[in-house]
Amino acid sequence: MDMSNAPDICLDDSRQLRDDDTFEFSCTPNRPCFTACCYDLNLVLMPYDIFRLKKRLGISSGDFLKHYTSVHVGQGTGLPVVMLRMEGPYLKCPFLEEEKGCSVYEDRPGACRTYPLARMACRQKDRQGVEEFYYIVREPDCQGFKDGRTWTVRQWKENEGIGPYNVMNDVFGELLQAKTEAGIAHLSADQIDTFYMGCYDIDSFRSYFLEGPNLERYMESQEVIESISRDDEELLRYAMRWVKKKLFQGGCLSCGLGCST
Ligand code: SF4
Ligand code: SF4
């Protein structure tokens, strides 16, 4: 959820929570607010959110993007931003089933899993990996803080299956950091299309990179090609790194040189 843009949502930045820190929360179907948090959301989708949802629905990434999202170019970043499109007069999440709840629960977006926490990932140029911590976020109508169960952040992450989302979001974060380091403020229309395909439209990237005539594929090792051909998550990871290299570091991923296709 793009919590920062939603005026009623309160992000408590007075405490930085790490894995062993605790908070109290309990979200169960018998809460009077059940599903209230699934309306009128500014929910920005990350590449891995789209990947999981389109697989869940059994449709292509292109169809998912067309039917369930809206896209705009971020004013500050110049990058395409994909948002889940709410539907109907009450701006309901398209995956919410009245009375039942989330119809894509096992593959719901990372922001839905992480709430009532929001993850902050700090990356330093000269260090590998990221340092993460969490803030508490409070939706205005959320009753989950009343008589909540005590969780450590680590327990919450495990319980909600947040790990794979964080891993992929960090690969995406590397890409955004490369843009910042390159000092590139705006992209051309072609570059925006390249970013969009590599990060969000993984099935189009597969067609482009693995199925069409593509010099970069021939320059890549057979081992890598086999790995990204059989494993879609590897393909997404590769695609984001390919975008990073192509747009912000110059050159192709296979040789790392300044060649272009
Ligand atoms: S994806 Fe599921 S949990 Fe997230 S807003 Fe939609 S219905 Fe709610
Ligand atoms: S508003 Fe809070 S407690 Fe209620 S369903 Fe949503 S997350 Fe759970």
Side-chain angles (χ1 to χ4, degrees), residues 37-38 41 43 84 93-96 101-105 108-109 112:
C37 50
C38 301
L41 294 171
L43 206 164
L84 189 61
C93 171
F95 305 122
L96 176 63
C102 180
S103 64
V104 294
Y105 190 77
R108 67 200 185 284
C112 304

Side-chain angles (χ1 to χ4, degrees), residues 160-208:
E160 301 298 308
I162 296 167
Y165 287 77
N166 286 350
V167 169
M168 282 298 202
N169 288 349
D170 288 345
V171 177
F172 188 56
E174 281 172 26
L175 163 55
L176 302 183
Q177 185 185 18
K179 175 178 179 290
T180 304
E181 286 170 3
I184 297 170
H186 296 289
L187 304 183
S188 68
D190 282 351
Q191 289 173 320
I192 288 174
D193 286 347
T194 297
F195 186 99
Y196 183 80
M197 175 179 71
C199 295
Y200 303 123
D201 192 355
I202 193 64
D203 292 317
S204 292
F205 178 77
R206 181 188 296 100
S207 302
Y208 166 80

Side-chain angles (χ1 to χ4, degrees), residues 71-142:
V71 183
H72 66 272
V73 175
Q75 276 193 337
T77 63
L79 296 173
V81 178
V82 179
M83 300 184 72
L84 189 61
R85 205 164 57 216
M86 301 291 124
E87 61 184 25
Y90 300 109
L91 300 175
K92 180 175 79 72
C93 171
F95 305 122
L96 176 63
E97 283 182 10
E98 304 284 0
E99 311 295 327
K100 289 188 185 162
C102 180
S103 64
V104 294
Y105 190 77
E106 295 79 6
D107 297 289
R108 67 200 185 284
C112 304
R113 290 167 186 272
T114 308
Y115 181 82
L117 302 179
R119 180 178 189 244
M120 306 289 145
C122 310
R123 186 175 283 100
Q124 291 189 345
K125 199 177 172 185
D126 47 354
R127 271 202 226 146
Q128 287 286 325
V130 299
E131 188 193 345
E132 69 167 23
F133 60 87
Y134 291 80
Y135 288 133
I136 297 271
V137 180
R138 289 172 197 270
E139 287 264 357
D141 298 324
C142 179

Side-chain angles (χ1 to χ4, degrees), residues 25-27 33-35 37 115 142-144:
F25 191 74
S26 178
C27 172
C33 56
F34 182 55
T35 74
C37 50
Y115 181 82
C142 179
Q143 310 273 319

